[in-house]
Amino acid sequence: MKDINFYSETFSSGRKHYFLDIRKTQNGTIYLRICRSDELGERKYVRSSVIIFDEDFEKFIQGLSSVFHHAAYLFKKD
């Protein structure tokens, strides 16, 4: 039995393709999988991914929120 995919979001930027998936393992654990697939040409790709399990969602979202908050002001000129 494979993991169940609850929701997916995909987008591309040039030869980079991103995949955000909320999935459930066979034993019922929920996780977020973030993948990036780089197109090398001639139907060849290299893929990288990170998995965040549900027990870490709150801390992960807090971290992302902090990073985006700081990034919003990083290049702001007074």
Side-chain angles (χ1 to χ4, degrees):
M1 183 176 179
K2 292 177 65 175
D3 290 357
I4 299 168
N5 200 27
F6 286 120
Y7 181 78
S8 291
E9 186 71 39
T10 63
F11 57 95
S12 297
S13 178
R15 293 179 160 221
K16 297 175 285 206
H17 309 284
Y18 296 90
F19 306 89
L20 307 172
D21 303 309
I22 298 290
R23 299 177 63 96
K24 181 179 178 181
T25 64
Q26 294 176 26
N27 69 2
T29 303
I30 304 295
Y31 65 96
L32 167 66
R33 182 177 64 181
I34 303 170
C35 297
R36 176 177 154 174
S37 182
D38 295 334
E39 188 177 344
L40 303 176
E42 298 182 21
R43 304 188 120 193
K44 294 182 183 178
Y45 297 86
V46 63
R47 188 174 184 145
S48 305
S49 62
V50 64
I51 294 174
I52 295 96
F53 288 97
D54 59 350
E55 70 247 18
D56 298 320
F57 281 178
E58 185 177 347
K59 290 180 182 179
F60 182 73
I61 291 168
Q62 288 172 350
L64 277 179
S65 177
S66 179
V67 166
F68 287 135
H69 173 79
H70 289 0
Y73 296 99
L74 188 61
F75 298 108
K76 186 177 181 179
K77 296 182 181 180
D78 295 327

